[in-house]
Amino acid sequence: MIHLLFTLVFIEMALILILSFANPIRKLVIKGLDLLKQGRGPLVTKTVATTMLVVFGSTIYTITKIQKRSSESGALVNPTDEVLMAQRLLEASLMGFSLFLGLVIDRQHYYTREIFSLRKNLETAKKLN
């Protein structure tokens, strides 16, 4: 699962970089995001994000259980609990980053489209005057 989350985070970071700078791929990415936001796309996206949020909450709950168990046992910490804690913490971090980057991509797409429409309106206003 960690490999999948790392891949997802890197893809989202690449999309943010593509949307941030003017390049030939940006128009293609914007058109792809437009198509994704039509039809059943928003429903699927919200369902996946909600599922990730539930898994994120479950991971956080597991982390708190491990911390509570290690604090109740005293000074001796089980090495297995340390490994589980590190893995769950990494999963939770990657899921949180992924959800945040998804929101950043959504807002960046919205603002980029808004800038394009404002530029078109400005050009048509200049032509009319």
Side-chain angles (χ1 to χ4, degrees), residues 15-16 19-20 104-113:
L15 282 174
I16 288 172
L19 288 172
S20 295
V104 169
I105 289 170
D106 181 54
R107 291 290 88 200
Q108 219 175 4
H109 173 249
Y110 173 76
Y111 291 133
T112 306
R113 286 194 42 85

Side-chain angles (χ1 to χ4, degrees), residues 108-120:
Q108 219 175 4
H109 173 249
Y110 173 76
Y111 291 133
T112 306
R113 286 194 42 85
E114 192 69 27
I115 287 172
F116 284 155
S117 68
L118 286 174
R119 283 183 185 163
K120 282 183 183 179

Side-chain angles (χ1 to χ4, degrees), residues 48-77:
V48 169
T50 305
T51 304
M52 282 184 65
L53 192 62
V54 168
V55 172
F56 178 72
S58 171
T59 305
I60 295 295
Y61 178 73
T62 304
I63 289 170
T64 56
K65 275 180 37 178
I66 292 171
Q67 281 181 341
K68 185 185 279 188
R69 185 173 52 214
S70 66
S71 67
E72 287 176 355
S73 68
L76 298 176
V77 179

Side-chain angles (χ1 to χ4, degrees), residues 2-125:
I2 290 175
H3 298 291
L4 179 66
L5 289 171
F6 267 117
T7 306
L8 180 64
V9 167
F10 285 131
I11 288 171
E12 287 177 335
M13 286 190 300
L15 282 174
I16 288 172
L17 287 174
I18 289 170
L19 288 172
S20 295
F21 303 107
N23 55 29
I25 302 173
R26 183 164 82 172
K27 286 186 181 181
L28 180 65
V29 169
I30 289 173
K31 288 187 188 287
L33 289 172
D34 286 340
L35 290 175
L36 183 68
K37 289 186 176 184
Q38 292 177 357
R40 292 188 180 178
L43 180 65
V44 171
T45 305
K46 288 177 185 176
T47 304
V48 169
T50 305
T51 304
M52 282 184 65
L53 192 62
V54 168
V55 172
F56 178 72
S58 171
T59 305
I60 295 295
Y61 178 73
T62 304
I63 289 170
T64 56
K65 275 180 37 178
I66 292 171
Q67 281 181 341
K68 185 185 279 188
R69 185 173 52 214
S70 66
S71 67
E72 287 176 355
S73 68
L76 298 176
V77 179
N78 189 356
T80 306
D81 284 345
E82 287 182 5
V83 171
L84 286 174
M85 178 78 159
Q87 183 174 358
R88 298 292 178 234
L89 198 58
L90 181 61
E91 283 180 6
S93 299
L94 289 173
M95 276 188 255
F97 293 151
S98 175
L99 290 170
F100 175 73
L101 291 175
L103 288 173
V104 169
I105 289 170
D106 181 54
R107 291 290 88 200
Q108 219 175 4
H109 173 249
Y110 173 76
Y111 291 133
T112 306
R113 286 194 42 85
E114 192 69 27
I115 287 172
F116 284 155
S117 68
L118 286 174
R119 283 183 185 163
K120 282 183 183 179
N121 291 340
L122 184 64
E123 287 177 9
T124 56

